[in-house]
Amino acid sequence: MEQQVVQLVNKYRRSKGLSPLRTDPAMQQEAERHSLNMARGRIPLSHNGFEGRIRNVREKTGVKGRSGENVAEGYKTAREVVDAWIRSPGHRKHMLGAFDLTGVGIVRSRNGNLYFTQLFIAVKYNSK
């Protein structure tokens, strides 16, 4: 399902004339860890710890550009969560941002809810 999210986000980006995002293993690992923490109730559905996740990604990849994150809970399919993100201005901004790399992590909680995290980062550093 993680790959489906990336494919749907890239399809949306292409429809807006943007280049596709490439997946990165370090980003996927951080996204999955965050989804796991939310699914296990260690943290609420939130962006808590985002700076730490991005710091870890930067250390592992050497990529220093701007970054973003989308999270969600309770959707049943990749299509549902991507459609919800498209409808949300803040989430849509990340999906259409000047990013190059992404990683998606999806984890099912004990009660069956899915927790989604998608990280975004730009390869080139730009302070704007």
Side-chain angles (χ1 to χ4, degrees):
M1 191 182 301
E2 287 95 347
Q3 226 16 66
Q4 288 178 316
V5 169
V6 173
Q7 290 169 352
L8 290 167
V9 169
N10 279 337
K11 182 178 178 183
Y12 183 62
R13 287 175 61 87
R14 280 191 300 278
S15 77
K16 303 298 183 184
L18 299 171
S19 60
L21 300 168
R22 298 183 317 273
T23 57
D24 177 84
M27 294 182 74
Q28 182 170 345
Q29 182 181 28
E30 289 298 322
E32 188 171 310
R33 182 178 297 128
H34 185 54
S35 291
L36 179 65
N37 285 332
M38 291 186 295
R40 296 297 180 259
R42 295 178 190 135
I43 59 171
L45 177 70
S46 68
H47 298 287
N48 292 354
F50 171 70
E51 290 302 322
R53 286 188 288 287
I54 290 302
R55 184 174 45 252
N56 290 342
V57 166
R58 288 179 172 148
E59 288 172 3
K60 292 175 185 174
T61 65
V63 173
K64 304 292 183 198
R66 58 189 294 271
S67 57
E69 177 180 71
N70 286 350
V71 297
E73 178 262 333
Y75 297 97
K76 300 199 184 322
T77 68
R79 167 65 65 193
E80 286 179 10
V81 74
V82 171
D83 285 349
W85 285 340
I86 289 170
R87 290 189 303 271
S88 165
H91 294 97
R92 184 174 56 245
K93 181 180 175 183
H94 287 142
M95 293 170 62
L96 298 177
F99 299 116
D100 304 292
L101 301 176
T102 192
V104 176
I106 304 169
V107 175
R108 186 177 304 277
S109 69
R110 288 183 178 90
N111 68 3
N113 281 343
L114 293 174
Y115 285 79
F116 299 82
T117 303
Q118 183 170 20
L119 293 171
F120 303 86
I121 198 164
V123 171
K124 292 185 179 179
Y125 177 76
N126 185 345
S127 61
K128 295 179 183 178

